Amino acid sequence: MQELQLLMKASLKYLLYIMALFVLGWGFTDYKTVFAGLILGMVVGLFNVWLLAKRTMKIGQAAVEGKKAKSVGSISRYASAILATMIALEFPEHFSIIGTVLGLVTTTVVVIIVFIIQKYNVNNEEER
């Protein structure tokens, strides 16, 4: 569980840096709809990653205690992603659908990259 918490903390740090860049892009460029879509997608993606981590920790805790575990909540994560895309489709003057989808994907890509980096660092420390 400690590794998952460290992964989420590091991922959140990098995702907030990226979100700050998106906000700056929205504020200082002419591509407001693209950056608004990126922000919308990233906010929903952050929610999905947080929800997945929270439920994964609950499943791990239930496994340690020998209890039956619930699901990781795929339907609620899919529903939030669908909601974000529906918002982008409903308000194309404010949100770019491509930006929204890229924002949703960005969170997953960042978490995967942070996981690979942490795994690489752990393996290097074990070799020393």
Side-chain angles (χ1 to χ4, degrees):
M1 289 303 138
Q2 185 75 8
E3 290 177 6
L4 181 60
Q5 290 173 343
L6 290 173
L7 174 68
M8 291 311 302
K9 188 175 181 179
S11 297
L12 182 62
K13 179 177 76 171
Y14 292 118
L15 288 168
L16 289 176
Y17 287 144
I18 294 169
M19 178 78 78
L21 291 174
F22 290 166
V23 170
L24 288 173
W26 177 82
F28 294 110
T29 67
D30 293 332
Y31 302 104
K32 295 205 182 294
T33 58
V34 173
F35 282 106
L38 286 166
I39 292 167
L40 174 64
M42 185 165 267
V43 166
V44 172
L46 278 169
F47 170 74
N48 285 342
V49 168
W50 171 79
L51 190 62
L52 180 63
K54 180 179 170 187
R55 292 202 174 154
T56 302
M57 285 188 261
K58 281 187 179 182
I59 289 172
Q61 187 63 30
V64 167
E65 295 172 359
K67 296 179 181 176
K68 187 175 179 180
K70 295 182 180 180
S71 73
V72 292
S74 296
I75 292 175
S76 60
R77 289 183 288 120
Y78 294 150
S80 64
I82 291 169
L83 178 65
T85 54
M86 287 176 60
I87 290 170
L89 289 172
E90 185 67 28
F91 302 105
E93 66 276 5
H94 299 292
F95 301 102
S96 163
I97 185 67
I98 294 171
T100 303
V101 171
L102 288 174
L104 284 166
V105 172
T106 300
T107 54
T108 306
V109 170
V110 169
V111 170
I112 290 170
I113 291 170
V114 169
F115 173 76
I116 291 169
I117 291 170
Q118 282 187 350
K119 216 44 157 168
Y120 178 75
N121 286 341
V122 167
N123 289 341
N124 281 345
E125 289 176 8
E126 289 176 358
E127 290 176 1
R128 292 180 189 167

